[in-house]
Amino acid sequence: MPFDPEQSRLQDEELKKLAIEAQRHPVKSKQRQIALTKLINKIRKSGRFARPRQREFGERYEEIYGEAIQKLMLYICENIDKYQPERGPVIRWVNIYLIKRFFNQAISEIIGSSDIKQESILDDSNLRQPEKIPLPSEMILDYLENDPEQLCQNLRHSKYPQLNFQTLARERILGKKWKNIAAELGIPLSTLSDFYQTSLKELAPQIRLYLNN
């Protein structure tokens, strides 16, 4: 279904409240376990898990992904106190660990390779590439979520005003395929690609400045 900013905002608020509620109670207490169970269920049903490196591993991908999710859920239950609400939404915290740690661990365990390539969020072999910005995906996601000058949400396509860069970039960072985004928004894939690349070039100086401060 199409991305709904208001629904995501409400969802983020609900997840944050559950995370804080779990943190309030002692480890292994019944109250903490109840809050964690609700939190895990809400996260699983959110539909906002990242899907890193979908073009790799063929039929083994789902096996790797499933293992990564299981590791991630266990980590959340055991380390909920490490979540810092002031630094961003629960979903962003969850996806950082999925992308940067547990997906790679699952690859090592299932494929048996220690040579794990870190995929840039800007890479897509089917599209013309803009100038690369070697920045970690979670840092760019942090910029998008905070959008300090509201540049990302106000940068809209002239022909499709419902399309803004913040929404498009967030969907890409979290692993959604171009063809799926295009189908959901009813916008040609080539239009999405051109808008994404043009916007990224335009915002690159602001992103770098934000991350260097």
Side-chain angles (χ1 to χ4, degrees):
M1 58 187 299
F3 175 77
D4 185 337
E6 179 62 15
Q7 181 178 344
S8 294
R9 186 189 67 79
L10 294 174
Q11 191 177 68
D12 286 338
E13 286 297 318
E14 183 178 21
L15 293 176
K16 182 168 71 172
K17 288 179 181 178
L18 287 171
I20 293 173
E21 176 66 17
Q23 291 173 341
R24 289 179 54 242
H25 299 292
V27 176
K28 295 185 179 180
S29 68
K30 182 178 180 180
Q31 294 90 339
R32 175 178 280 226
Q33 292 305 314
I34 290 173
L36 283 172
T37 298
K38 290 180 180 179
L39 177 64
I40 293 299
N41 287 338
K42 292 289 185 181
I43 291 173
R44 283 186 176 277
K45 293 177 181 179
S46 71
R48 294 167 66 191
F49 277 129
R51 298 280 296 188
R53 301 173 64 177
Q54 285 185 283
R55 297 187 301 276
E56 301 180 48
F57 310 112
E59 61 185 17
R60 303 297 300 275
Y61 182 85
E62 292 302 327
E63 182 183 0
I64 294 168
Y65 188 73
E67 179 66 21
I69 293 295
Q70 291 303 315
K71 290 178 178 294
L72 176 64
M73 296 297 98
L74 179 61
Y75 179 86
I76 293 171
C77 290
E78 294 179 346
N79 296 274
I80 190 61
D81 290 319
K82 293 182 179 180
Y83 169 64
Q84 301 177 48
E86 69 276 7
R87 298 192 63 181
V90 172
I91 289 293
R92 182 168 70 83
W93 179 67
V94 166
N95 279 324
I96 287 171
Y97 278 99
L98 176 58
I99 294 168
K100 305 299 284 188
R101 179 184 297 186
F102 296 115
F103 192 81
N104 290 340
Q105 287 183 7
I107 294 170
S108 294
E109 292 182 10
I110 293 174
I111 303 297
S113 171
S114 60
D115 183 19
I116 300 172
K117 183 184 73 172
Q118 294 293 330
E119 180 184 32
S120 168
I121 65 160
L122 305 180
D123 289 343
D124 195 309
S125 58
N126 296 322
L127 299 172
R128 299 190 306 276
Q129 293 301 304
E131 180 182 358
K132 297 294 188 299
I133 304 175
L135 300 171
S137 62
E138 67 270 19
M139 296 178 72
I140 295 183
L141 187 54
D142 182 64
Y143 175 82
L144 290 170
E145 294 291 349
N146 286 288
D147 197 10
E149 300 174 85
Q150 297 188 326
L151 297 175
C152 297
Q153 60 182 291
N154 290 329
L155 190 56
R156 297 179 178 274
H157 195 280
S158 57
K159 185 177 179 181
Y160 301 95
Q162 74 273 27
L163 173 64
N164 65 51
F165 180 71
Q166 185 181 55
T167 299
L168 180 59
R170 182 191 287 116
E171 296 286 75
R172 285 296 297 147
I173 288 172
L174 297 181
K176 185 169 289 188
K177 293 182 178 180
W178 284 107
K179 64 179 182 180
N180 293 338
I181 300 174
E184 290 178 358
L185 296 178
I187 298 174
L189 191 150
S190 60
T191 300
L192 292 179
S193 170
D194 289 341
F195 176 69
Y196 178 80
Q197 294 171 29
T198 301
S199 300
L200 191 59
K201 287 182 179 179
E202 182 176 335
L203 292 174
Q206 285 81 8
I207 295 175
R208 288 194 179 99
L209 180 62
Y210 175 83
L211 296 177
N212 287 332
N213 287 336

